[in-house]
Amino acid sequence: MNSYFMYQPQFLFGVIAMKMISVFIILCFFMSISGCTSYYQDGDGVSLYGDEVETLEYQGVELTPISEQRNNAIKGTQRIIEDTYLLKVDGIVDEPLDLTYEQITSYPNVSKLIDLNCVEGWDFTGKWTGVPVSTLLNEAGVQEGATTVIFYSADGYSTSLNLDYLIENDIILAYRLNAVTLPQDRGFPLQLVAESKYGYKWAKWITGIEVINEPYEGYWESRGYSNNADFGGPRSG
Ligand SMILES: Nc1nc2c(c(=O)[nH]1)N[C@H]1C(S)=C(S)[C@@H](COP(=O)(O)O)O[C@H]1N2
Ligand SMILES: [Mo]
């Protein structure tokens, strides 16, 4: 190549084009290895979930990352819109309630380290944060003779628990899991943290709470699963 050719416009144009292509390739490389994804984990026991930071340790115990938690709903993920959501609390109460997401998340909250144990044999450990069921029941005013509370879900699922169990164990309706907003596929806006009960008592996408004075069989309970559902106890009956 002679020096005359090197100063021709075609040659200079070619060199500039080559440089631009290299810069583009280098940029693509750095974007692909940087945090330009909605979820990642690092070595510090935290990870990003959307724009929130997921906690992977609580009270000295390792939590199961949400991405590794199992999920098996009868009709798949329900999509509940926060702005129009209302939680009904009714039945034998003095004053039925319709609570917005904002109201529910404004009550004093409680955090707990609890395992969910599905009756099928899998489990995971989470940090659950939410409002005690008793807070909402006190607001509504439970009447004399009430024994049972039914939880209704957006997918037609339902389950029930004894009023005494809910009060004595300070059972919560969780709206945060591992410190992030309960994800849509995990039951947004609320999942019942029915500690020491099989997973089928952990209603997700809860839209209604009804207080009654007789036993009630929910979705799986009316299909042969134990209505008591104590973890470790009989699965059927
Ligand atoms: N609304 C609703 N809630 C539900 C279910 C369901 O199908 N629909 N499945 C239950 C069962 S059988 C289990 S084991 C747990 C699983 O909860 P997870 O998604 O937090 O793992 O949700 C429970 N809550
Ligand atoms: Mo389950």
Side-chain angles (χ1 to χ4, degrees):
M1 189 187 291
N2 61 42
S3 59
Y4 170 74
F5 180 68
M6 287 176 72
Y7 293 102
Q8 291 306 295
Q10 315 87 289
F11 182 80
L12 289 175
F13 184 78
V15 169
I16 291 166
M18 294 274 281
K19 282 198 172 154
M20 284 173 69
I21 290 166
S22 328
V23 167
F24 181 70
I25 289 168
I26 290 166
L27 266 175
C28 287
F29 173 72
F30 279 107
M31 280 173 72
S32 69
I33 63 163
S34 72
C36 295
T37 48
S38 64
Y39 179 86
Y40 77 92
Q41 244 172 273
D42 64 24
D44 302 330
V46 294
S47 68
L48 285 185
Y49 211 83
D51 57 359
E52 297 178 308
V53 179
E54 182 183 5
T55 302
L56 293 179
E57 204 203 282
Y58 185 53
Q59 297 175 343
V61 175
E62 203 181 308
L63 306 175
T64 312
I66 294 171
S67 61
E68 288 170 25
Q69 298 176 4
R70 295 275 294 270
N71 173 9
N72 64 342
I74 52 164
K75 288 182 185 158
T77 297
Q78 304 297 301
R79 309 217 174 261
I80 292 182
I81 309 300
E82 182 180 320
D83 292 347
T84 52
Y85 173 76
L86 285 177
L87 174 67
K88 278 203 175 304
V89 182
D90 59 15
I92 47 176
V93 296
D94 296 334
E95 195 188 326
L97 309 173
D98 274 312
L99 300 168
T100 64
Y101 184 76
E102 164 85 43
Q103 287 174 309
I104 294 163
T105 53
S106 299
Y107 291 108
N109 64 51
V110 174
S111 289
K112 298 187 183 197
L113 175 73
I114 309 280
D115 287 354
L116 182 150
N117 298 280
C118 175
V119 75
E120 290 169 336
W122 51 268
D123 60 73
F124 65 82
T125 305
K127 176 190 178 186
W128 305 88
T129 304
V131 58
V133 177
S134 63
T135 301
L136 308 187
L137 294 182
N138 288 340
E139 189 103 349
V142 172
Q143 292 181 352
E144 196 84 13
T147 57
T148 309
V149 180
I150 309 174
F151 296 87
Y152 296 100
S153 302
D155 54 354
Y157 192 86
S158 66
T159 192
S160 71
L161 285 153
N162 288 340
L163 181 60
D164 289 348
Y165 160 84
L166 295 168
I167 307 294
E168 283 161 19
N169 298 288
D170 200 25
I171 297 303
I172 63 171
L173 289 158
Y175 48 81
R176 299 184 85 76
L177 170 57
N178 292 0
V180 306
T181 302
L182 190 69
Q184 208 150 37
D185 63 325
R186 307 308 310 289
F188 180 88
L190 298 173
Q191 179 167 25
L192 185 72
V193 182
E195 57 192 87
S196 76
K197 300 285 185 184
Y198 284 123
Y200 60 86
K201 291 289 183 184
W202 294 53
K204 316 201 304 185
W205 306 293
I206 297 172
T207 53
I209 297 177
E210 187 186 2
V211 182
I212 59 169
N213 57 6
E214 58 189 1
Y216 171 89
E217 288 187 345
Y219 185 88
W220 286 119
E221 295 88 334
S222 63
R223 287 164 175 78
Y225 283 93
S226 161
N227 204 5
N228 173 273
D230 277 335
F231 173 57
R235 290 155 195 240
S236 59

